[in-house]
Amino acid sequence: MCSLPTQPPRRGSQLAQPRGARSQRGIALIESLVSILIFSFGVIGLIGLEASAINFSMDAEDRNRAAVIANEIATTMWLANSVTLTAAQLTTWQTNVANTATGGVPNGTLTITPTAGTTRTADILITWKPQTDAATVPVRQLTTRIILP
């Protein structure tokens, strides 16, 4: 019997690696990086959504405070049985509207306008502008019409 001389396989030959294995190197790493990139976009989207939710919540809170103030002014008018307030009452309400520490709205203003042609109807207008709004954003407002019996 004659034995054939054996030589070690050459580097990079077909015996060292199966065909196609070389082209698969690094695919798992690329897949991982792509999945991390997609996950990062999702997280960034959630952060943006959270910021929008906070802004909407603050706007709703300001609107609710304006409605409460308008209701309190209407109650004062109802108890006085008149849609006109004294100068002292009007000044107090205007101060309260602008003071966020006492339940007012940011940069708030109050205007009470009696409706023309009637003596028992008035419009209460409360406007405000949050400090986070840009200068080009219009002021926010709440209007309440009170009609005394």
Side-chain angles (χ1 to χ4, degrees):
M1 294 255 288
C2 174
S3 72
L4 296 170
T6 60
Q7 293 179 345
R10 286 185 276 165
R11 197 171 190 188
S13 70
Q14 291 179 354
L15 296 176
Q17 290 181 340
R19 184 172 186 91
R22 186 169 210 184
S23 65
Q24 293 292 319
R25 269 193 214 171
I27 294 296
L29 179 62
I30 291 173
E31 288 175 351
S32 299
L33 290 174
V34 168
S35 63
I36 289 171
L37 179 68
I38 292 171
F39 180 75
S40 298
F41 281 132
V43 169
I44 289 171
L46 286 175
I47 290 170
L49 185 65
E50 181 69 23
S52 295
I54 289 171
N55 284 340
F56 287 133
S57 174
M58 290 174 57
D59 186 46
E61 183 180 344
D62 289 343
R63 188 166 299 282
N64 184 42
R65 282 186 285 174
V68 167
I69 293 169
N71 186 41
E72 290 175 358
I73 294 170
T75 301
T76 302
M77 291 176 171
W78 187 280
L79 292 174
N81 201 24
S82 172
V83 293
T84 57
L85 298 177
T86 64
Q89 288 175 322
L90 185 59
T91 303
T92 301
W93 280 115
Q94 288 173 336
T95 304
N96 288 344
V97 166
N99 188 357
T100 56
T102 60
V105 290
N107 303 313
T109 60
L110 169 68
T111 307
I112 300 174
T113 308
T115 305
T118 64
T119 58
R120 315 258 319 143
T121 305
D123 290 329
I124 301 169
L125 174 66
I126 299 175
T127 60
W128 69 95
K129 186 170 183 87
Q131 295 171 346
T132 57
D133 281 359
T136 57
V137 176
V139 295
R140 297 185 176 134
Q141 64 182 19
L142 177 108
T143 304
T144 302
R145 175 165 283 181
I146 180 167
I147 303 171
L148 296 178

